[in-house]
Amino acid sequence: TIFVLDEDNPSSSSGGGGLALLGLGEGQGQVGLFQGDNLKWLYATRAMVQKSLLTVVNEEGKNILLLEWFLDFDEDVQKVLKDNPKFKSLQFHASESDSLNNLGPQKNALLGVCYTIIKNKYLTVKDVEKTNGVIEVSISAKDEHFAKILSDILVQNVNTFYVQSKTKKVSTKVADLQEQANEYNKRMNASMYQTASAIDAVPYANPNQQVNLVQPKRKGIDVEVNSAIYTQIIKNLETSKMELSQATPLIQVVDAPLYPLTAEKPNMILNIILFGLIGCFLITIYFIARKIYKDVLQN
């Protein structure tokens, strides 16, 4: 999967455009979770890989964890299961997809093994050559269906985490302001109703008895105060929504994996040279051993 990121960042300097917040541009002068190589590092973290493995997928009409699929076909993890009897009795179920932090030490240990295998054997994250801020995420596996699904899920998880992290502060502010706006809207409506009720209570007030006008005036002041506060909150809310819109990055997938996936075939020329060198080495060892054997017999 190859993707780019487009986002507004008025405070950033030139050198990477909208893609610079990935930290892959130059001249940023900022430090954060997504600066420099940290975004690529995020793809290879245990939290992201483990969350992807504990995702429910449909395989041959059956809902299973992606982890179960991985345990069934990967040769390295099969060897680990064979050499560690404590892992053989472990069973993972689709219902555990939301139990990331409550799996127990044995399952966490097995997940750690799976994470290490995927990180070292399956996953590649790199910058696309001759581009600025374009990232390529690759999964290589013998099972192309597993490779595509893991790639899609991992990219989705990391990108979602990125967007949520970038917008968390502003979205929280918007939610708080929206709650305040709703509250003061209720207060303003209640004050208007109470003002009308106070006026109706004295429909033909004697102008010489000012006491009859106190309650309507008091409620009228409440309406004005709540209306002023509500108006200011709405202004702040709209400003915050604009900030949220600017802070929300647009992640655009440029190239996604499609079936059939590209098969990586061994380099025949390199293999011929390699096996030729090995053959020459073995033949040399054979003749040396033969000569030594003859010399021993002659002595």
Side-chain angles (χ1 to χ4, degrees), residues 139 141-149 255-265:
I139 299 291
K142 291 184 177 180
D143 188 332
E144 70 169 355
H145 192 33
F146 174 86
K148 184 181 186 307
I149 290 179
D255 193 6
L258 299 173
Y259 293 117
L261 303 184
T262 303
E264 296 182 356
K265 298 180 180 180

Side-chain angles (χ1 to χ4, degrees), residues 232-243:
Q232 186 61 44
I233 291 177
I234 290 298
K235 290 181 180 179
N236 293 339
L237 178 60
E238 293 304 317
T239 301
S240 297
K241 286 182 178 180
M242 293 180 61
E243 293 176 2

